[in-house]
Amino acid sequence: MAQDHDIGPMSVSDARGAGLAAVARRVIAVGLGALVVALAAQVVVPVPFSPVPMTLQPLAVLVVGGLLGAAGGLAALVLYLMLGILGLPVFAGGASGALHLAGPTGGYLLAFPIAAGLTGSSSVMGVPISGSLTFERAVSMASRLGSAATDMYS
């Protein structure tokens, strides 16, 4: 009679399959995170007298970091930068190439992985995030930043 907790070759392969599925989900999530930032970069509003346009990238970077966590957000944004360096038109307005990292937007681009990682590290891991909880966090963070800025200049 077989026992319910029998550990045989089939259960080991099932465990490996579950691990591979988790890795595959993580890889897909990182790729989708890079895609979200690339799409957000295409929403460009030129700023008069500035070489740096306004885009939806900062918002996308923070959302990706918050949803994927520190490691996932960092990986997604490093992937995003690598795709741009390799020549894919993922930077603002469809630009690409390593020279953009040395130009006026380079500081922003290089800070994106750090921002996503920090945002991800401040999010609660393992707890489902509802829309209202995310909104509450955003309001809390905005109020803390506002009070910090007020303290700095008073």
Side-chain angles (χ1 to χ4, degrees):
M1 183 175 244
Q3 297 176 358
D4 290 335
H5 60 284
D6 184 34
I7 298 180
M10 194 61 171
S11 63
V12 171
S13 69
D14 288 346
R16 284 188 189 142
L20 289 176
V23 169
R25 280 192 303 271
R26 195 71 173 158
V27 168
I28 290 170
V30 166
L32 287 175
L35 176 65
V36 166
V37 176
L39 291 174
Q42 305 316 309
V43 179
V44 177
V45 177
V47 177
F49 309 110
S50 173
V52 181
M54 286 191 322
T55 68
L56 291 179
Q57 283 174 299
L59 174 64
V61 166
L62 297 178
V63 168
V64 166
L67 291 177
L68 298 183
L74 181 77
L77 272 295
V78 168
L79 174 62
Y80 168 76
L81 290 178
M82 295 308 298
L83 293 173
I85 290 169
L86 291 174
L88 272 71
V90 296
F91 297 147
S96 64
L99 286 179
H100 279 18
L101 298 180
T105 61
Y108 293 96
L109 292 171
L110 293 172
F112 284 166
I114 298 166
L118 289 174
T119 303
S121 68
S122 68
S123 67
V124 178
M125 297 304 295
V127 177
I129 298 176
S130 68
S132 63
L133 182 58
T134 303
F135 179 74
E136 290 170 12
R137 283 189 196 157
V139 169
S140 173
M141 187 178 354
S143 68
R144 281 187 262 152
L145 287 173
S147 66
T150 303
D151 292 344
M152 244 171 61
Y153 293 107
S154 57

